[in-house]
Structure formats: structure tokens, C-alpha cells
Amino acid sequence: MELEGRGAGGVAGGPAAGPGRSPGESALLDGWLQRGVGRGAGGGDAGACRPPVRQDPDSGPDYEALPAGATVTTHMVAGAVAGILEHCVMYPIDCVKTRMQSLQPDPAARYRNVLEALWRIIRTEGLWRPMRGLNVTATGAGPAHALYFACYEKLKKTLSDVIHPGGNSHIANGAAGCVATLLHDAAMNPAEVVKQRMQMYNSPYHRVTDCVRAVWQNEGAGAFYRSYTTQLTMNVPFQAIHFMTYEFLQEHFNPQRRYNPSSHVLSGACAGAVAAAATTPLDVCKTLLNTQESLALNSNITGHITGMASAFRTVYQVGGVTAYFRGVQARVIYQIPSTAIAWSVYEFFKYLITKRQEERRAGK
């Protein structure tokens, strides 16, 4: 809630209550003058006559305006924690999604829905089978999300100041999300390749090191980035839709941009669901490139699926148009809580770190 200024005359008039000014307003103005904000000509500040912004005492620090010098570190720490928690909590569903996107699955790995798939995997392959590959995912998610959120926040502010000074720009949000995705995917792509090969039904890999060694020896180092262009083709529109939807919903659910857990969870969940459904065909192609599914390779004359065009063609040859939407249910179910967790954890740690910094500064 803001208190509108009364102009230079109101400042020069001093703190005493006058016509049209309530005692509460006079007290606020008095405090403003005592802090030296309204120093007038003597203070020499260009913004001396700018009216104060009245902040709700219960709202905590303005965590959207982080302290100078700590911005990048704060975003990177908050982003790393959010990314690791997001991937760890949702990993079993991610395992199911990978299997449901298989173009020609083994008869024992044909599932009707997510819950049935998870139950059958646990019952037939063991309790911990859906968690295989979690360690390499967590290792990649930390630095990937640290770069992701730090880059996004920095570019969002920079571009917003250029495109829409003093306000929020959806174009800036989308562009910042796209650029941040380049860094995220560069750090995360090798982990994605290893993870998805370990998640497949009858995967020969039981340890991360076995999978890494086999891929390196049999397919070369380039195999870890074979799906990078396709992943970018998927994630750039995904993140553009994701960030624009999230910021749009925040404008409606949390216009003051305070720390509001319920608005972060709701906005994150809706943004993730919309983006996930829209980009499922690209995710199916990415999974095929990462796993190099043996039965699908029989329909590809080169013996290896090496690019996005080849992946799109192979998906259509094997399963038709409907194959592009394999696993869409699992993908949306995965993404709703995933983005809700990521945004709520990220905003919480951003708020917590900023609050601690503000408290230390106030104690000096």
C-alpha cells in the first residue's frame, strides 16, 4: 500500500498535522524526514522530494529487491536447492514418464496409467527400481538450476528495465527464460542421457559409472549431447511458456510481489502444466534420442538417430501422430508438482536469505 506524495510544499511544511492531513500521515512524514530522505536543497539528493513507499510491517523485507552484492549468490543457492529437491521428490514419476514414452515397449512394460505403472515397477522390479539414476540427476540438477535461476533473474530485470521501465514485461520474462535454458541444458544434458538409459525397462545399467563408461566407449563423448539441440528446441518454448505464464499469474494472485507461498505454488503448478502439455511431442523425440531405443532403430536406416528431424521422422514411422503424445499424462502429472515445488522452494530460500541479510544490515 502506498501513500501518495503531496509535492514539495508538503515536505517543506514539516511534520505537524495540517488541513487535510491525518495524525497517522503526519507521523509517517515525520519518520521520513528524520531518516533524511526529504533533505530538500540541503541534502542535494535528486530524489529528495520523492514520496515514501509505505510497507506493511508484517510483510517482511522486499525480497524482490535483493541487497546489492548478494543478488547472484542468493539466486544461485536458492535455485540449486530448488532444483535438487524438485528432481528428487518427483523422480519416480519421471521414471514412469520415460517408460511410457517408449515407442515399442516390451509387453511387460505396457502401462495404462501412472499409478499402475509405478505399482507394477515396484512389485516386479523392486522397491528402489524407480529411483535408479537419482544420484546423477541430483548431481546435475544443482549446478544446472543455479545457473538457470541466476541467469533468469538477472536478464529479467535488465530486459524489463529496457522494454518496460519500472514494470513487468512478458517479453522480457520469456526472453530471459529462453537464454537461461541454454545454460541449464548445457549442464544437465549429460545427466539426462545417463538417467533415461537407467530408467528404461530391462536396462543393463545398475550403476551410473557403468552407464557412463559404456556410452563413452561405444558411442563417443558426443552421445552425451546428441539430444542437446532437440532438448533446446523443446525447453526454449517450454520455458518461455512456463515463465510467461508464471509471471502473468503472479500479477493476478500476488500483485504486490511479496512472499506468498500459496500464490507461488498455484502459479508454478499451472505454468508447468500448460508448458508440459504444449511441448510433449518434443519431449518424446528427446527421449528417443537419449535412449536410442533398439526397436525404434530398426525403422531408421542410418542405425543411429542423430538429430531432431530424424527423431520426428522415426516417431511418426513407428507410431503415427498419436506417438507424439505418448506419456503426456505422466508428463503433466510430473510437471504440476515439479514446478510448484521448484518455485515455492526457490521463492522461500530467496526470501529467507534476503531476510537474514536485511537483519544483519539492520544490526550494524
Side-chain angles (χ1 to χ4, degrees):
M1 180 172 63
E2 294 186 359
L3 178 63
E4 298 296 334
R6 300 263 196 289
V11 175
R21 181 184 297 140
S22 70
E25 290 174 325
S26 298
L28 179 61
L29 184 58
D30 184 30
W32 180 34
L33 292 171
Q34 287 178 3
R35 288 195 300 271
V37 178
R39 287 175 291 197
D45 281 1
C49 294
R50 185 170 55 195
V53 175
R54 186 174 179 181
Q55 183 174 331
D56 186 349
D58 297 328
S59 65
D62 182 7
Y63 80 112
E64 287 290 351
L66 298 179
T71 304
V72 174
T73 302
T74 300
H75 289 313
M76 292 188 77
V77 172
V81 174
I84 292 172
L85 286 178
E86 167 201 346
H87 283 280
C88 288
V89 171
M90 298 306 300
Y91 195 80
I93 306 299
D94 186 53
C95 176
V96 171
K97 176 185 74 72
T98 297
R99 292 196 180 192
M100 293 183 75
Q101 288 180 338
S102 175
L103 296 178
Q104 293 183 343
D106 187 281
R110 297 180 187 272
Y111 311 113
R112 290 191 298 271
N113 55 60
V114 175
L115 290 179
E116 188 231 4
L118 195 57
W119 167 247
R120 282 177 55 188
I121 292 172
I122 293 173
R123 183 168 55 86
T124 60
E125 302 175 52
L127 178 63
W128 296 106
R129 181 62 182 91
M131 306 302 291
R132 187 183 296 177
L134 175 62
N135 51 348
V136 71
T137 300
T139 301
H145 280 74
L147 293 170
Y148 175 67
F149 278 108
C151 178
Y152 170 71
E153 294 285 0
K154 177 66 175 177
L155 285 178
K156 180 181 75 170
K157 183 179 185 306
T158 301
L159 294 176
S160 291
D161 289 344
V162 173
I163 298 172
H164 189 188
N168 180 45
S169 168
H170 294 305
I171 296 176
N173 298 334
C178 292
V179 176
T181 300
L182 298 176
L183 297 178
H184 172 275
D185 288 359
M188 194 69 187
N189 209 88
E192 281 283 318
V193 172
V194 175
K195 175 200 76 172
Q196 290 196 310
R197 294 195 181 207
M198 297 183 72
Q199 288 174 334
M200 294 296 285
Y201 180 75
N202 275 341
S203 171
Y205 311 114
H206 295 275
R207 294 185 301 178
V208 170
T209 52
D210 294 337
C211 184
V212 172
R213 188 182 303 111
V215 173
W216 184 283
Q217 292 176 350
N218 299 330
E219 304 174 50
F224 293 105
Y225 282 94
R226 184 178 287 137
S227 66
Y228 183 59
T229 54
T230 299
Q231 184 135 324
L232 287 178
T233 305
M234 176 190 72
N235 282 344
V236 165
F238 175 91
Q239 298 300 349
I241 296 170
H242 171 204
F243 281 116
M244 291 173 69
T245 304
Y246 179 82
E247 298 290 353
F248 172 78
L249 292 173
Q250 280 291 287
E251 286 183 351
H252 288 76
F253 297 142
N254 187 17
Q256 299 302 318
R257 293 306 179 104
R258 301 300 182 190
Y259 176 60
N260 186 338
S262 60
S263 77
H264 300 317
V265 169
L266 182 59
S267 299
C270 292
V274 171
T279 57
T280 294
L282 293 166
D283 192 44
V284 171
C285 294
K286 183 207 75 172
T287 298
L288 178 60
L289 285 167
N290 279 342
T291 61
Q292 294 293 300
E293 191 180 346
S294 58
L295 290 175
L297 288 174
N298 294 332
S299 63
N300 188 282
I301 59 173
T302 64
H304 277 290
I305 304 170
T306 56
M308 182 178 63
S310 178
F312 265 97
R313 184 168 55 252
T314 303
V315 170
Y316 183 77
Q317 289 173 351
V318 173
V321 175
T322 57
Y324 291 114
F325 292 92
R326 285 182 182 270
V328 64
Q329 179 195 48
R331 179 166 164 77
V332 172
I333 290 175
Y334 168 84
Q335 209 64 55
I336 288 175
S338 176
T339 47
I341 291 170
W343 277 111
S344 59
V345 172
Y346 172 69
E347 299 284 7
F348 169 74
F349 273 89
K350 190 169 74 170
Y351 167 77
L352 183 65
I353 294 170
T354 305
K355 185 176 181 181
R356 295 281 177 85
Q357 291 171 341
E358 290 289 343
E359 289 173 351
R360 283 199 296 269
R361 289 175 62 189
K364 290 182 179 179

